[in-house]
Every structure is written in C-alpha cells, then in structure tokens.
Amino acid sequence: MSHDASEYDKNDFKSNTGKRYNMDEKREECGVVGIYSKLGQSVTPLLHRALYALQHRGQDAAGFAIYSDKRIIERKGIGLVESIFKKEDLELEGSIGVGHTRYPTIGGCAEGDVQPTVYDGIAVAHNGHIANYPDLKKELEGDGYKFHSTVDSEPMAYYLHRDKEDLKGAIEKIMKNFEGSFSDVAIYHGKLLCYRDQRELRPLVWGENKDFIMVASETVALDVNGIEYKGDIRGGSYFTVEEGNLNKVQIVERLPHHCMFEYVYFSRPDSVINGRSVRLVRSLLGEQLAKESPVKADVVVPVPDTSRTAAMAFAKESSIEYEEGLIKNRYIGRTFIMPTQEKRRNAVKLKLNPVKDIVVDKSVVLIDDSIVRGTTMKEIVQLIRDAGAKEVHVRITSPPIKAPCFYGVDIPTFKELIANNKSIEQIKEFIGADSLAYLSLDGLKTAIGIPICDACLTGNYHTEYVKKLAEAVK
Ligand code: SF4
C-alpha cells in the first residue's frame, strides 16, 4: 500500500492521476510470492507463473527480484503481468526470488512505487497496510535513510537493513513498531525470508516439493508450479530458507484476526488460505444466507464473478433454479467513479449484460458479496428490471459494511458507506429492490469457521493506533 501527505483525508481514494476508483469494486493490496531452489535451479519461470496466478490481487503493476551471483536483479513495470516482462527478463537466472502484483491505493501507482523494494542486499515484497507509516518514515529519515517511494515495503527494507545482519532483532522491532497488517516475503542477504503480523490479517501460505520451497499469498501460486501446500506462516513469526534449511522463529504471540473479505470476495475460490478452502466457505455463506433470509423466486442469479459459488449454494438450499443471468465483459478492467447517474448506468451496462430469456417475467434473486456505496447495485437492479424481471430480491453474502478499513483493503470513508448512513430498508429503497437481506455476523463467523477481523462491519478496530485513526476520520 502507498501513502501520501493527505493520509486519511477525504481524498484517500483518489489516485495521483486524479481518477477516483469505483470502490463498489473493493480492491486488495497486492499478491506476494517468494521462492527458493534447493537444487540451485533458476526460479524465474516459477515466479512468473506465480505472478500470473496472483494477478487478481493486483492489476496495476508487478515486479520481481532474483538473487544471482550474490547480487539482486530486479524487473518491474506498470500494467498486467503479461505485458510487463520481456523474454530476456524471464531468462534471468537466480536461485532465490520474490515477486509482487500491486494495486495502488493512497498515492496512486508511480514507477518508483512498484515492488519489490530493493536496498543493499535486501528485496521486500509486501502485502498489507502500515497505518503508522508517517511515524516510521520520520524515524528512519532521522537515521539517515532517504525515501524514494510511498510504499510500505520501503520502511520494511530499511528496518531489516538498519540492524545490520541481526535478523531476529530486526523482525522483533518490525513486530513491535509496525502498526497494521503485513504478510511479506524478502530476499535477505542470500536467504529467502518471510514474516507475518501477529493478527494474520492477510494470507501467507507455503509449500514445498523436491526442488523448491515457495511462500505466497494464496495456494493458487503453488498449484500452478506443482508445489504442495504445507501450511500457513504463523502470525508473529518469521521463516527463513538458507542452504536448503528451513528455520521458523516465533517472535510474538499469534492473535489471529483473518480478514473476512479474503473469503467473501478477494481470494480465488480454488485457493486454500489459513487452512480453509475459499470455495467451501463461499458455499457455506450462500447456504447460510438462504436459511436466514429465504425468498420465493423463480431463479437465482449471481453478480459475476465472485458471488457464483455462494449463489449456487443459495439456489441448492432454496431449491430454486440457478442461472448465469448476468454476463460480464471480461475485457473491461477497473472502472472509475462516474459523476452522473447516466454515466454510471452506461459503465455498468458496458460491464454487465442481463440474459433476457433468463430473467424476463421472473422473480429473480440477485446474489452479491457486498454493497459498498450502493450505486453499482442500484444500476444492476435496474438492468435486470429493464430486461423484463417481475421482481428483484437482493441477497448479500456478508453483513453491511459500516466502517472503513485501515488494515489493507480499500473501503471508503464512513460518509461514503451506504450502510453507515442508511437502514437496510432505506438501502432497499435506494437500490430499487423488492427485498434486501444481508448475511448475519454470526452466520459469517460460522461459515468462515476461524477467528476473523470484522472491524469494517462492526467498527470494532482491534489495534490501538487504528482506533485513534478511526476516531480522527469520523
Ligand atoms: Fe478485512 Fe474489514 Fe478487517 Fe479490513 S476491516 S481487514 S476489510 S475484515
């Protein structure tokens, strides 16, 4: 995640290109991967495949760094993985590597903000958000470090560097001083290193085969490389691989608060994170929602793509037909906030098209994972009505979002969140649905089945610094 001077003001979600992103499309900050070859083989092709697999976690920039002949070589660029790297980049040879796919949030995406951040024998790829970045920056500048970017991986690299080669000491200070979430991988003086904050907010899995050890945001990065998932990096610990030996060190107590949105929305359904299958959780979300808020209807339609698994389970539990009644144009990337309703409608129409014969004269249950501002859902409901639906019942597979996130997910300010300002009945009126229901918090917790962070649903932030930040922006 990146920062600028106007941290947490009302323009938080404005990029440095001046565009405002459509936060009804929540965005995740980054995918990371680290890999070590036990047999001294080149890791570059595997890194490249892993970055492709993690593209959904960040589509604005990508990069990798490899360790070769006692030096670090980096390759990075703005855009999609397929467009950034040249053939000769992929022929670079090195037996340790880290990679990153990125979404910019605060501050946008300048060339200098593309990760990994490389500094004097260290290369860091970071996933998460450091809430007290300005304080850390000031401290490190006082120690003589010069900042060249606005990304969290830069203070991380300097913290790792400042303690010379006392890795345990450096990680202890990171765990103590960095407020927020971090699931990071690094090349550290010829070792592969990874570490995770004690709350385990962002996922970080690892796996191994006879040739390679890999750490990544999601198991899909392991799968595409034929590497077996072995488990998750424990919160509050770090893990190094050097000369083929794996060394795990617990630094502080593990206090898991897994981001519930990783299951509801972000991670790929074919991933396993924190030991839980994302597909299975989404299925349970849909099933539970059908039990809590049943509806008499003719057809269940998902808002593609992330709601599909839950919608199928909702349909099965309700004994209602499931149909792909909305088709997504896959060639349209991110959309930006449109100033007028007409422009918003046109943007949604370009992205989603209803299948008329599926919805015409039908009572439709529309399933989505969340409602942020409500403006996109309003347009989708209208699209389905315009296509001839008799009724549109909206069911949401998570509880209402009432508070912003300071732990690494772009959720807008209190003011912009529709559920912070309106009752469920008022939201139903605003989006123009015949009925609206959200999954309960208990239902969400039961489906995910492991301890979660629910701060954006309840406003109960679980770290002191963020509690103060939230008060300040209210
Ligand atoms: Fe995830 Fe919400 Fe917690 Fe942010 S506040 S980490 S979006 S659950």
Side-chain angles (χ1 to χ4, degrees):
M1 187 144 182
S2 58
H3 304 253
D4 70 5
S6 60
E7 188 105 302
Y8 303 121
D9 70 11
K10 63 182 172 14
N11 293 320
D12 269 359
F13 302 95
K14 193 178 188 178
S15 84
N16 61 0
T17 60
K19 284 172 177 162
R20 295 205 74 198
Y21 299 125
N22 183 353
M23 293 306 156
D24 276 6
E25 296 176 1
K26 293 167 302 305
R27 292 177 297 123
E28 161 73 4
E29 286 74 39
C30 315
V32 295
V33 56
I35 183 157
Y36 181 99
S37 167
K38 294 183 260 183
L39 305 177
Q41 300 185 58
S42 179
V43 298
T44 313
L46 288 89
L47 269 181
H48 190 225
R49 281 197 290 273
L51 290 176
Y52 264 114
L54 297 172
Q55 186 78 86
H56 62 291
R57 298 184 72 89
Q59 292 144 36
D60 277 28
F64 68 77
I66 55 165
Y67 184 72
S68 176
D69 290 332
K70 302 197 170 162
R71 66 196 176 109
I72 293 176
I73 305 168
E74 56 184 310
R75 292 289 183 271
K76 318 170 175 179
I78 306 272
L80 295 173
V81 172
E82 67 174 3
S83 64
I84 295 170
F85 305 110
K86 300 188 196 77
K87 190 169 165 279
E88 52 271 29
D89 297 334
L90 304 177
E91 286 164 358
L92 290 167
E93 296 209 344
S95 58
I96 308 174
V98 293
H100 191 263
T101 58
R102 175 167 197 264
Y103 262 133
T105 50
I106 301 161
C109 188
E111 288 275 353
D113 286 345
V114 184
Q115 298 181 42
T117 295
V118 177
Y119 187 75
D120 197 14
I122 294 167
V124 182
H126 161 83
N127 180 26
H129 176 60
I130 305 304
N132 63 334
Y133 171 93
D135 302 344
L136 296 166
K137 183 176 180 213
K138 208 181 283 171
E139 175 199 325
L140 287 158
E141 282 173 339
D143 286 346
Y145 288 98
K146 290 202 171 18
F147 277 68
H148 304 284
S149 73
T150 60
V151 289
D152 293 336
S153 48
E154 195 170 8
M156 282 291 181
Y158 297 156
Y159 252 68
L160 289 170
H161 181 265
R162 191 176 56 178
D163 275 329
K164 306 298 174 211
E165 296 201 22
D166 174 13
L167 178 59
K168 186 160 182 264
I171 301 278
E172 272 169 0
K173 287 179 191 156
I174 287 172
M175 298 280 176
K176 190 166 153 248
N177 296 346
F178 280 62
E179 296 273 351
S181 57
F182 47 88
S183 281
D184 295 359
V185 294
I187 298 171
Y188 177 82
H189 302 299
K191 300 178 184 138
L192 176 67
L193 163 70
C194 65
Y195 49 93
R196 193 177 184 194
D197 67 85
Q198 66 182 157
R199 287 182 163 71
E200 302 184 351
L201 280 149
R202 311 260 74 85
L204 197 60
V205 302
W206 77 280
E208 187 173 17
N209 66 12
K210 67 178 178 22
D211 300 336
F212 300 100
I213 294 173
M214 184 180 263
V215 184
S217 298
E218 295 182 34
T219 53
V220 284
L222 310 179
D223 295 341
V224 294
N225 284 301
I227 294 175
E228 192 188 342
Y229 170 50
K230 296 284 187 186
D232 299 78
I233 306 302
R234 279 178 70 82
S237 80
Y238 72 92
F239 164 134
T240 55
V241 192
E242 183 183 22
E243 292 173 1
N245 297 316
L246 206 148
N247 185 30
K248 296 177 186 175
V249 182
Q250 191 73 37
I251 297 284
V252 291
E253 189 190 355
R254 180 176 169 250
L255 297 171
H257 284 70
H258 304 290
C259 171
M260 58 94 196
F261 264 123
E262 291 285 351
Y263 290 98
V264 168
Y265 174 83
F266 296 129
S267 296
R268 276 176 44 167
D270 46 340
S271 277
V272 175
I273 52 169
N274 308 306
R276 292 284 281 161
S277 152
V278 177
R279 185 213 62 80
L280 177 67
V281 169
R282 285 198 191 147
S283 209
L284 294 172
L285 294 172
E287 195 182 299
Q288 180 65 22
L289 183 59
K291 284 181 186 153
E292 290 182 8
S293 302
V295 55
K296 275 198 168 166
D298 304 309
V299 64
V300 174
V301 169
V303 176
D305 292 308
T306 46
S307 314
R308 273 203 188 97
T309 315
M312 280 185 221
F314 187 101
K316 194 170 170 203
E317 179 64 28
S318 317
S319 302
I320 304 175
E321 201 182 335
Y322 168 92
E323 289 281 6
E324 294 278 343
L326 272 173
I327 303 300
K328 184 175 175 180
N329 184 333
R330 295 181 191 290
Y331 303 97
I332 295 177
R334 288 161 58 179
T335 52
F336 301 101
I337 290 178
M338 299 292 167
T340 65
Q341 195 175 337
E342 195 193 338
K343 285 190 174 163
R344 275 199 295 274
R345 182 154 302 167
N346 286 338
V348 172
K349 267 187 180 168
L350 204 57
K351 197 157 191 169
L352 292 171
N353 197 29
V355 183
K356 289 200 177 64
D357 57 293
I358 288 177
V359 300
V360 73
D361 294 331
K362 302 264 179 64
S363 176
V364 176
V365 191
L366 192 62
I367 307 284
D368 205 355
D369 49 71
S370 53
I371 298 178
V372 181
R373 287 189 171 79
T375 47
T376 301
M377 181 53 80
K378 181 183 171 79
E379 300 308 333
I380 296 173
V381 170
Q382 192 58 48
L383 268 185
I384 302 223
R385 285 202 193 284
D386 291 347
K390 212 165 53 183
E391 291 175 355
V392 184
H393 301 274
V394 175
R395 294 292 179 271
I396 303 295
T397 65
S398 61
I401 304 173
K402 294 186 172 165
C405 174
F406 298 92
Y407 300 118
V409 174
D410 271 2
I411 291 179
T413 53
F414 286 100
K415 206 171 104 196
E416 294 170 285
L417 289 165
I418 192 165
N420 185 51
N421 304 307
K422 291 189 191 319
S423 66
I424 293 180
E425 183 58 28
Q426 288 170 326
I427 299 171
K428 185 204 90 175
E429 293 299 321
F430 177 80
I431 64 174
D434 292 281
S435 75
L436 166 67
Y438 291 83
L439 184 65
S440 68
L441 184 56
D442 280 349
L444 178 82
K445 287 181 177 173
T446 306
I448 296 179
I450 52 175
I452 57 165
C453 168
D454 57 15
C456 54
L457 311 174
T458 59
N460 297 330
Y461 298 101
H462 40 85
T463 50
E464 291 309 313
Y465 192 94
V466 166
K467 278 182 196 165
K468 284 186 204 141
L469 268 182
E471 280 308 310
V473 300
K474 249 180 191 171

